[in-house]
Amino acid sequence: MSSQDALSDQDLKKTPLFDAHVAAGARMVPFAGYSMPVQYKDGVLKEHLWTREHAGLFDVSHMGQARIRGENPAKSFEKVVSADYQGLKAGKQRYGVLLNADGGIVDDLMTARPDDDGLFVVVNGACKDNDYAIIARELAGEAIVTRLEDRALLALQGPDAAAVLAAHIPEAAQMVFMDTKALTAFGVDAIISRSGYTGEDGYEISVPADAAERVWDTLLADERVKPIGLGARDSLRLEAGLPLYGHDLDETVSPIEAGLNFAVGKSRREAGDYLGAARIAKELAGELSRVRVNLKVLEGAPAREGAEIADEAGAVIGKVTSGGFAPSLGYPIAIGFAPPAFAAIGTKLKVIVRGKAAAAEVVASPFVPNGYVRKL
């Protein structure tokens, strides 16, 4: 949760689906300055497992959506991000990070070319005002950033997601992971991508805000679909080994420390023409003091954010940045940072939970195999 979560109820923003969440019995909590559903009547555990087995529907309308337009918006955008967007093909999207001058991550984001209308960018909700202010400032005179405040964003995730969505958008079944399309769906202009934040197959669906509740209800009319809250969203992404901004990522963490080397494009590495390139080049060459590790907690309670990581002798070497019980696995897991010497798969470590040391082991990412459809 960000500092914005301390806002009073009357200060919180509402997504276009707020009334639908309340009507469905959701427990609403502050998140990224919005009132958001943390769980519905079934609870986090059942929602998590339902998404893994069927299809879960998430409201992610708090995220920031924008268009970047200009003579060469991809070239301009590359001034502030690490990925290669000039090489991004039409109909594709790519993960990247917005960087500061020191190579730290200001935010992580998705950028797509769904059509010929510039780039379509989606950023984290708690970061969007700062992100788009930075992007607009750095691209001034070259490109125009237009925030899409009148749109909602839904995520349909799980092994049944493709069949569910294909009943309404036949083209969706022909898409593969990270494909994106601008099309007419549900009677409105929509942008869909085959992607998500759960490790499962699924889609993100951008629609006009005034159509959001109708699209939400239409998808929920399918018995394979249930509404899912922030609680299960977090446990699903943790099992998928996906870092969360504000927890596993922040302005001190570089993409290389975070294990996001793929987010620094080959052409960008060669050119070194992005913010923080000097630090990132050194880290790519092996000059690292810490790296992200995935931990299986072998005993005791879950190691939550802030818990210390120790070596077998008990010396503190790092910290947990995300942690909890993994419903799909039946045991606690965690993400944290430790020196590279302790990052090899199978390394025995300890986590300090409530003052007591518990055995842990470094394991591969993701914790749960992903369900991405990379080819048909």
Side-chain angles (χ1 to χ4, degrees):
M1 300 286 181
S2 71
S3 59
Q4 296 184 51
D5 298 333
L7 295 172
S8 64
D9 287 346
Q10 56 264 39
D11 292 328
L12 291 171
K13 298 177 183 177
K14 296 177 180 178
T15 76
L17 292 167
F18 175 84
D19 290 342
H21 299 316
V22 173
R27 181 160 71 86
M28 308 299 287
V29 299
F31 183 79
Y34 285 77
S35 181
M36 297 291 289
V38 68
Q39 67 179 66
Y40 296 85
K41 295 175 182 178
D42 286 345
V44 173
L45 178 62
K46 288 184 178 179
E47 290 177 22
H48 177 113
L49 296 175
W50 183 270
T51 305
R52 285 273 183 255
E53 296 165 3
H54 303 288
L57 186 61
F58 302 77
D59 177 14
V60 287
S61 303
H62 64 295
M63 305 283 276
Q65 303 178 65
R67 287 279 193 172
I68 300 179
R69 302 178 176 97
E71 183 177 343
N72 190 340
K75 182 178 180 180
S76 300
F77 192 44
E78 285 184 359
K79 292 170 63 175
V80 293
V81 292
S82 63
D84 170 13
Y85 289 115
Q86 293 188 74
L88 182 64
K89 295 179 180 179
K92 291 289 185 180
Q93 72 173 5
R94 183 167 291 159
Y95 176 89
V97 292
L98 183 66
L99 295 166
N100 61 28
D102 297 322
I105 300 173
V106 176
D107 197 10
D108 60 339
L109 46 83
M110 284 286 197
T111 303
R113 286 187 189 271
D115 50 28
D116 296 326
D117 190 20
L119 299 175
F120 174 63
V121 184
V122 178
V123 304
N124 283 303
C127 306
K128 62 185 178 183
D129 290 339
N130 183 53
D131 288 357
Y132 287 131
I134 291 171
I135 295 168
R137 183 184 70 235
E138 295 297 326
L139 274 57
E142 297 181 21
I144 296 173
V145 179
T146 304
R147 294 177 60 167
L148 307 178
E149 305 283 13
D150 58 346
R151 297 188 72 83
L153 191 64
L154 286 64
L156 181 66
Q157 302 281 292
D160 287 340
V164 169
L165 195 58
H168 306 282
I169 309 174
E171 301 100 311
Q174 301 307 309
M175 298 171 70
V176 295
F177 184 56
M178 299 299 266
D179 276 358
T180 182
K181 286 181 180 288
L183 41 70
T184 299
F186 304 102
V188 296
D189 66 295
I191 300 171
I192 65 170
S193 64
R194 195 160 190 172
S195 61
Y197 193 58
T198 62
E200 291 294 333
D201 181 28
Y203 302 82
E204 293 196 341
I205 308 159
S206 171
V207 296
D210 59 7
E213 190 165 347
R214 178 171 57 81
V215 174
W216 177 266
D217 289 343
T218 298
L219 292 170
L220 285 177
D222 192 306
E223 63 181 8
R224 295 168 290 187
V225 183
K226 287 188 177 183
I228 311 295
L230 291 171
R233 181 172 165 83
D234 191 53
S235 57
L236 287 160
R237 71 89 192 171
L238 182 59
E239 288 186 347
L242 297 172
L244 179 63
Y245 196 84
H247 300 263
D248 313 299
L249 308 176
D250 60 37
E251 291 208 34
T252 72
V253 177
S254 79
I256 312 308
E257 290 177 325
L260 302 174
N261 299 38
F262 69 90
V264 184
K266 181 180 178 182
S267 66
R268 310 305 308 285
R269 298 183 194 190
E270 293 171 351
D273 58 350
Y274 55 91
L275 290 173
R279 170 188 176 182
I280 289 173
K282 289 179 181 178
E283 292 180 345
L284 284 167
E287 293 184 33
L288 285 158
S289 61
R290 62 178 179 176
V291 292
R292 181 162 64 99
V293 292
N294 294 322
L295 301 173
K296 176 181 179 180
V297 179
L298 302 173
E299 59 186 0
R304 306 287 183 181
E305 180 177 358
E308 293 177 324
I309 302 171
D311 63 18
E312 286 196 282
V316 174
I317 58 169
K319 275 194 174 181
V320 169
T321 49
S322 289
F325 180 77
S328 304
L329 300 171
Y331 52 76
I333 58 175
I335 292 173
F337 285 83
F342 297 93
I345 304 302
T347 300
K348 304 296 183 183
L349 296 173
K350 295 182 183 295
V351 288
I352 313 301
V353 179
R354 298 172 191 160
K356 295 182 179 180
E361 180 181 350
V362 177
V363 296
S365 182
F367 295 96
V368 173
N370 67 57
Y372 305 142
V373 175
R374 299 184 184 275
K375 62 181 181 178
L376 296 175

